[in-house]
PDB file of all heavy atoms in Angstrom:
ATOM      1  N   HIS L  65     -14.260   5.554  -3.198  1.00 98.00           N
ATOM      2  CA  HIS L  65     -12.869   6.032  -3.216  1.00 98.00           C
ATOM      3  C   HIS L  65     -12.644   7.036  -2.075  1.00 98.00           C
ATOM      4  O   HIS L  65     -11.626   6.983  -1.388  1.00 98.00           O
ATOM      5  CB  HIS L  65     -12.490   6.668  -4.556  1.00 98.00           C
ATOM      6  CG  HIS L  65     -11.047   7.090  -4.548  1.00 98.00           C
ATOM      7  ND1 HIS L  65     -10.020   6.198  -4.737  1.00 98.00           N
ATOM      8  CD2 HIS L  65     -10.461   8.277  -4.267  1.00 98.00           C
ATOM      9  CE1 HIS L  65      -8.858   6.825  -4.592  1.00 98.00           C
ATOM     10  NE2 HIS L  65      -9.107   8.099  -4.308  1.00 98.00           N
ATOM     11  N   GLY L  98      -5.084   3.064  -3.710  1.00 98.00           N
ATOM     12  CA  GLY L  98      -6.252   3.895  -4.015  1.00 98.00           C
ATOM     13  C   GLY L  98      -6.229   4.328  -5.462  1.00 98.00           C
ATOM     14  O   GLY L  98      -7.226   4.210  -6.187  1.00 98.00           O
ATOM     15  N   VAL L  99      -5.072   4.815  -5.901  1.00 98.00           N
ATOM     16  CA  VAL L  99      -4.946   5.285  -7.289  1.00 98.00           C
ATOM     17  C   VAL L  99      -5.097   4.106  -8.252  1.00 98.00           C
ATOM     18  O   VAL L  99      -5.841   4.177  -9.240  1.00 98.00           O
ATOM     19  CB  VAL L  99      -3.577   5.973  -7.502  1.00 98.00           C
ATOM     20  CG1 VAL L  99      -3.389   6.341  -8.962  1.00 98.00           C
ATOM     21  CG2 VAL L  99      -3.462   7.201  -6.614  1.00 98.00           C
ATOM     22  N   ALA L 100      -4.422   3.003  -7.945  1.00 98.00           N
ATOM     23  CA  ALA L 100      -4.419   1.872  -8.882  1.00 98.00           C
ATOM     24  C   ALA L 100      -5.816   1.247  -9.016  1.00 98.00           C
ATOM     25  O   ALA L 100      -6.298   1.034 -10.134  1.00 98.00           O
ATOM     26  CB  ALA L 100      -3.403   0.826  -8.438  1.00 98.00           C
ATOM     27  N   SER L 102      -8.886   2.448  -7.999  1.00 98.00           N
ATOM     28  CA  SER L 102      -9.994   3.318  -8.415  1.00 98.00           C
ATOM     29  C   SER L 102      -9.818   3.776  -9.863  1.00 98.00           C
ATOM     30  O   SER L 102     -10.797   3.857 -10.604  1.00 98.00           O
ATOM     31  CB  SER L 102     -10.119   4.522  -7.481  1.00 98.00           C
ATOM     32  OG  SER L 102     -10.634   4.107  -6.241  1.00 98.00           O
ATOM     33  N   SER L 103      -8.580   4.053 -10.274  1.00 98.00           N
ATOM     34  CA  SER L 103      -8.423   4.502 -11.664  1.00 98.00           C
ATOM     35  C   SER L 103      -8.609   3.336 -12.631  1.00 98.00           C
ATOM     36  O   SER L 103      -9.001   3.537 -13.776  1.00 98.00           O
ATOM     37  CB  SER L 103      -7.094   5.234 -11.879  1.00 98.00           C
ATOM     38  OG  SER L 103      -6.061   4.317 -11.973  1.00 98.00           O
ATOM     39  N   GLY L 106     -11.837   3.494 -14.028  1.00 98.00           N
ATOM     40  CA  GLY L 106     -12.125   4.591 -14.958  1.00 98.00           C
ATOM     41  C   GLY L 106     -12.061   5.970 -14.325  1.00 98.00           C
ATOM     42  O   GLY L 106     -12.242   6.971 -15.022  1.00 98.00           O
ATOM     43  N   LEU L 107     -11.808   6.066 -13.031  1.00 98.00           N
ATOM     44  CA  LEU L 107     -11.699   7.397 -12.410  1.00 98.00           C
ATOM     45  C   LEU L 107     -10.356   8.026 -12.792  1.00 98.00           C
ATOM     46  O   LEU L 107      -9.384   7.316 -13.060  1.00 98.00           O
ATOM     47  CB  LEU L 107     -11.804   7.297 -10.878  1.00 98.00           C
ATOM     48  CG  LEU L 107     -13.091   6.680 -10.308  1.00 98.00           C
ATOM     49  CD1 LEU L 107     -13.124   6.838  -8.788  1.00 98.00           C
ATOM     50  CD2 LEU L 107     -14.330   7.318 -10.911  1.00 98.00           C
ATOM     51  N   SER L 108     -10.330   9.347 -12.791  1.00 97.00           N
ATOM     52  CA  SER L 108      -9.096  10.023 -13.202  1.00 97.00           C
ATOM     53  C   SER L 108      -7.992   9.830 -12.153  1.00 97.00           C
ATOM     54  O   SER L 108      -8.242   9.939 -10.942  1.00 97.00           O
ATOM     55  CB  SER L 108      -9.400  11.510 -13.422  1.00 97.00           C
ATOM     56  OG  SER L 108      -8.550  12.319 -12.662  1.00 97.00           O
ATOM     57  N   ILE L 109      -6.786   9.566 -12.648  1.00 97.00           N
ATOM     58  CA  ILE L 109      -5.647   9.356 -11.742  1.00 97.00           C
ATOM     59  C   ILE L 109      -5.424  10.594 -10.882  1.00 97.00           C
ATOM     60  O   ILE L 109      -5.209  10.504  -9.675  1.00 97.00           O
ATOM     61  CB  ILE L 109      -4.370   8.995 -12.553  1.00 97.00           C
ATOM     62  CG1 ILE L 109      -4.500   7.577 -13.101  1.00 97.00           C
ATOM     63  CG2 ILE L 109      -3.105   9.155 -11.712  1.00 97.00           C
ATOM     64  CD1 ILE L 109      -3.264   7.013 -13.777  1.00 97.00           C
ATOM     65  N   ASN L 110      -5.511  11.768 -11.517  1.00 97.00           N
ATOM     66  CA  ASN L 110      -5.271  13.010 -10.771  1.00 97.00           C
ATOM     67  C   ASN L 110      -6.290  13.215  -9.666  1.00 97.00           C
ATOM     68  O   ASN L 110      -5.945  13.618  -8.561  1.00 97.00           O
ATOM     69  CB  ASN L 110      -5.271  14.221 -11.706  1.00 97.00           C
ATOM     70  CG  ASN L 110      -3.922  14.359 -12.357  1.00 97.00           C
ATOM     71  OD1 ASN L 110      -2.948  13.766 -11.893  1.00 97.00           O
ATOM     72  ND2 ASN L 110      -3.872  15.118 -13.443  1.00 97.00           N
ATOM     73  N   TRP L 111      -7.543  12.926  -9.983  1.00 98.00           N
ATOM     74  CA  TRP L 111      -8.588  13.086  -8.960  1.00 98.00           C
ATOM     75  C   TRP L 111      -8.325  12.118  -7.800  1.00 98.00           C
ATOM     76  O   TRP L 111      -8.412  12.501  -6.624  1.00 98.00           O
ATOM     77  CB  TRP L 111      -9.976  12.835  -9.570  1.00 98.00           C
ATOM     78  CG  TRP L 111     -11.070  13.052  -8.556  1.00 98.00           C
ATOM     79  CD1 TRP L 111     -11.611  14.249  -8.177  1.00 98.00           C
ATOM     80  CD2 TRP L 111     -11.700  12.042  -7.741  1.00 98.00           C
ATOM     81  NE1 TRP L 111     -12.549  14.044  -7.183  1.00 98.00           N
ATOM     82  CE2 TRP L 111     -12.635  12.704  -6.900  1.00 98.00           C
ATOM     83  CE3 TRP L 111     -11.586  10.656  -7.645  1.00 98.00           C
ATOM     84  CZ2 TRP L 111     -13.435  12.036  -5.990  1.00 98.00           C
ATOM     85  CZ3 TRP L 111     -12.387   9.983  -6.723  1.00 98.00           C
ATOM     86  CH2 TRP L 111     -13.300  10.673  -5.911  1.00 98.00           C
ATOM     87  N   CYS L 112      -7.982  10.880  -8.145  1.00 98.00           N
ATOM     88  CA  CYS L 112      -7.714   9.881  -7.086  1.00 98.00           C
ATOM     89  C   CYS L 112      -6.556  10.348  -6.208  1.00 98.00           C
ATOM     90  O   CYS L 112      -6.611  10.236  -4.976  1.00 98.00           O
ATOM     91  CB  CYS L 112      -7.372   8.521  -7.693  1.00 98.00           C
ATOM     92  SG  CYS L 112      -8.733   7.767  -8.578  1.00 98.00           S
ATOM     93  N   LYS L 113      -5.500  10.886  -6.844  1.00 98.00           N
ATOM     94  CA  LYS L 113      -4.340  11.342  -6.069  1.00 98.00           C
ATOM     95  C   LYS L 113      -4.704  12.505  -5.155  1.00 98.00           C
ATOM     96  O   LYS L 113      -4.243  12.580  -4.013  1.00 98.00           O
ATOM     97  CB  LYS L 113      -3.222  11.806  -7.020  1.00 98.00           C
ATOM     98  CG  LYS L 113      -2.420  10.675  -7.623  1.00 98.00           C
ATOM     99  CD  LYS L 113      -1.284  11.262  -8.428  1.00 98.00           C
ATOM    100  CE  LYS L 113      -0.328  10.186  -8.881  1.00 98.00           C
ATOM    101  NZ  LYS L 113       0.775  10.731  -9.680  1.00 98.00           N
ATOM    102  N   GLN L 114      -5.509  13.423  -5.680  1.00 98.00           N
ATOM    103  CA  GLN L 114      -5.854  14.623  -4.905  1.00 98.00           C
ATOM    104  C   GLN L 114      -6.466  14.284  -3.558  1.00 98.00           C
ATOM    105  O   GLN L 114      -6.228  14.961  -2.565  1.00 98.00           O
ATOM    106  CB  GLN L 114      -6.824  15.508  -5.702  1.00 98.00           C
ATOM    107  CG  GLN L 114      -6.141  16.414  -6.714  1.00 98.00           C
ATOM    108  CD  GLN L 114      -4.969  17.155  -6.095  1.00 98.00           C
ATOM    109  OE1 GLN L 114      -5.109  17.835  -5.085  1.00 98.00           O
ATOM    110  NE2 GLN L 114      -3.789  17.013  -6.685  1.00 98.00           N
ATOM    111  N   CYS L 115      -7.278  13.224  -3.533  1.00 98.00           N
ATOM    112  CA  CYS L 115      -7.966  12.861  -2.283  1.00 98.00           C
ATOM    113  C   CYS L 115      -6.968  12.527  -1.171  1.00 98.00           C
ATOM    114  O   CYS L 115      -7.259  12.716   0.004  1.00 98.00           O
ATOM    115  CB  CYS L 115      -8.886  11.665  -2.519  1.00 98.00           C
ATOM    116  SG  CYS L 115     -10.104  11.956  -3.786  1.00 98.00           S
ATOM    117  N   ASP L 116      -5.804  12.009  -1.541  1.00 98.00           N
ATOM    118  CA  ASP L 116      -4.795  11.611  -0.537  1.00 98.00           C
ATOM    119  C   ASP L 116      -3.638  12.597  -0.453  1.00 98.00           C
ATOM    120  O   ASP L 116      -2.688  12.390   0.319  1.00 98.00           O
ATOM    121  CB  ASP L 116      -4.247  10.212  -0.860  1.00 98.00           C
ATOM    122  CG  ASP L 116      -5.274   9.127  -0.580  1.00 98.00           C
ATOM    123  OD1 ASP L 116      -6.374   9.192  -1.152  1.00 98.00           O
ATOM    124  OD2 ASP L 116      -4.996   8.228   0.220  1.00 98.00           O
ATOM    125  N   SER L 117      -3.745  13.653  -1.222  1.00 98.00           N
ATOM    126  CA  SER L 117      -2.669  14.638  -1.265  1.00 98.00           C
ATOM    127  C   SER L 117      -2.499  15.290   0.108  1.00 98.00           C
ATOM    128  O   SER L 117      -3.468  15.791   0.686  1.00 98.00           O
ATOM    129  CB  SER L 117      -3.023  15.684  -2.326  1.00 98.00           C
ATOM    130  OG  SER L 117      -2.172  16.770  -2.197  1.00 98.00           O
ATOM    131  N   VAL L 158      -1.696   0.289 -13.966  1.00 98.00           N
ATOM    132  CA  VAL L 158      -1.545   1.561 -13.238  1.00 98.00           C
ATOM    133  C   VAL L 158      -0.375   1.478 -12.261  1.00 98.00           C
ATOM    134  O   VAL L 158       0.435   2.402 -12.162  1.00 98.00           O
ATOM    135  CB  VAL L 158      -2.840   1.967 -12.484  1.00 98.00           C
ATOM    136  CG1 VAL L 158      -2.712   3.384 -11.942  1.00 98.00           C
ATOM    137  CG2 VAL L 158      -4.068   1.837 -13.349  1.00 98.00           C
ATOM    138  N   LYS L 161       2.825   1.918 -14.137  1.00 97.00           N
ATOM    139  CA  LYS L 161       3.046   3.311 -14.533  1.00 97.00           C
ATOM    140  C   LYS L 161       3.527   4.120 -13.318  1.00 97.00           C
ATOM    141  O   LYS L 161       4.509   4.867 -13.393  1.00 97.00           O
ATOM    142  CB  LYS L 161       1.719   3.869 -15.066  1.00 97.00           C
ATOM    143  CG  LYS L 161       1.800   5.195 -15.739  1.00 97.00           C
ATOM    144  CD  LYS L 161       0.542   5.448 -16.575  1.00 97.00           C
ATOM    145  CE  LYS L 161       0.545   6.845 -17.132  1.00 97.00           C
ATOM    146  NZ  LYS L 161      -0.316   7.767 -16.392  1.00 97.00           N
ATOM    147  N   MET L 162       2.833   3.921 -12.195  1.00 97.00           N
ATOM    148  CA  MET L 162       3.191   4.661 -10.985  1.00 97.00           C
ATOM    149  C   MET L 162       4.578   4.273 -10.489  1.00 97.00           C
ATOM    150  O   MET L 162       5.308   5.081  -9.931  1.00 97.00           O
ATOM    151  CB  MET L 162       2.178   4.356  -9.873  1.00 97.00           C
ATOM    152  CG  MET L 162       1.289   5.505  -9.536  1.00 97.00           C
ATOM    153  SD  MET L 162       0.308   5.179  -8.060  1.00 97.00           S
ATOM    154  CE  MET L 162      -0.470   3.648  -8.418  1.00 97.00           C
ATOM    155  N   GLU L 165       6.988   6.545 -12.148  1.00 96.00           N
ATOM    156  CA  GLU L 165       6.846   7.955 -11.746  1.00 96.00           C
ATOM    157  C   GLU L 165       7.215   8.184 -10.286  1.00 96.00           C
ATOM    158  O   GLU L 165       7.778   9.209  -9.934  1.00 96.00           O
ATOM    159  CB  GLU L 165       5.394   8.411 -11.971  1.00 96.00           C
ATOM    160  CG  GLU L 165       5.030   8.485 -13.436  1.00 96.00           C
ATOM    161  CD  GLU L 165       3.524   8.624 -13.659  1.00 96.00           C
ATOM    162  OE1 GLU L 165       2.746   8.709 -12.678  1.00 96.00           O
ATOM    163  OE2 GLU L 165       3.128   8.633 -14.834  1.00 96.00           O
ATOM    164  N   GLU L 166       6.878   7.226  -9.442  1.00 95.00           N
ATOM    165  CA  GLU L 166       7.063   7.409  -7.994  1.00 95.00           C
ATOM    166  C   GLU L 166       8.300   6.678  -7.471  1.00 95.00           C
ATOM    167  O   GLU L 166       8.502   6.594  -6.259  1.00 95.00           O
ATOM    168  CB  GLU L 166       5.833   6.878  -7.232  1.00 95.00           C
ATOM    169  CG  GLU L 166       4.499   7.397  -7.720  1.00 95.00           C
ATOM    170  CD  GLU L 166       4.193   8.804  -7.237  1.00 95.00           C
ATOM    171  OE1 GLU L 166       4.774   9.227  -6.235  1.00 95.00           O
ATOM    172  OE2 GLU L 166       3.371   9.470  -7.892  1.00 95.00           O
ATOM    173  N   LEU L 203       2.539  13.624   0.748  1.00 97.00           N
ATOM    174  CA  LEU L 203       2.276  12.929  -0.498  1.00 97.00           C
ATOM    175  C   LEU L 203       1.627  13.848  -1.532  1.00 97.00           C
ATOM    176  O   LEU L 203       0.650  14.519  -1.220  1.00 97.00           O
ATOM    177  CB  LEU L 203       1.325  11.767  -0.161  1.00 97.00           C
ATOM    178  CG  LEU L 203       1.146  10.592  -1.066  1.00 97.00           C
ATOM    179  CD1 LEU L 203       2.451   9.897  -1.339  1.00 97.00           C
ATOM    180  CD2 LEU L 203       0.159   9.629  -0.401  1.00 97.00           C
ATOM    181  N   TRP L 204       2.175  13.856  -2.726  1.00 95.00           N
ATOM    182  CA  TRP L 204       1.530  14.483  -3.879  1.00 95.00           C
ATOM    183  C   TRP L 204       1.054  15.931  -3.688  1.00 95.00           C
ATOM    184  O   TRP L 204      -0.063  16.282  -4.032  1.00 95.00           O
ATOM    185  CB  TRP L 204       0.307  13.659  -4.325  1.00 95.00           C
ATOM    186  CG  TRP L 204       0.688  12.301  -4.811  1.00 95.00           C
ATOM    187  CD1 TRP L 204       1.760  11.984  -5.574  1.00 95.00           C
ATOM    188  CD2 TRP L 204      -0.026  11.083  -4.599  1.00 95.00           C
ATOM    189  NE1 TRP L 204       1.776  10.637  -5.828  1.00 95.00           N
ATOM    190  CE2 TRP L 204       0.693  10.069  -5.248  1.00 95.00           C
ATOM    191  CE3 TRP L 204      -1.209  10.742  -3.924  1.00 95.00           C
ATOM    192  CZ2 TRP L 204       0.275   8.736  -5.245  1.00 95.00           C
ATOM    193  CZ3 TRP L 204      -1.608   9.419  -3.924  1.00 95.00           C
ATOM    194  CH2 TRP L 204      -0.883   8.442  -4.574  1.00 95.00           C
TER     195      TRP L 204
END
Side-chain angles (χ1 to χ4, degrees):
H65 182 79
V99 175
S102 288
S103 78
L107 301 188
S108 125
I109 288 187
N110 278 344
W111 183 81
C112 294
K113 281 185 171 179
Q114 277 312 305
C115 302
D116 288 57
S117 168
V158 189
K161 190 163 174 259
M162 250 189 307
E165 292 167 2
E166 309 282 338
L203 199 57
W204 296 320

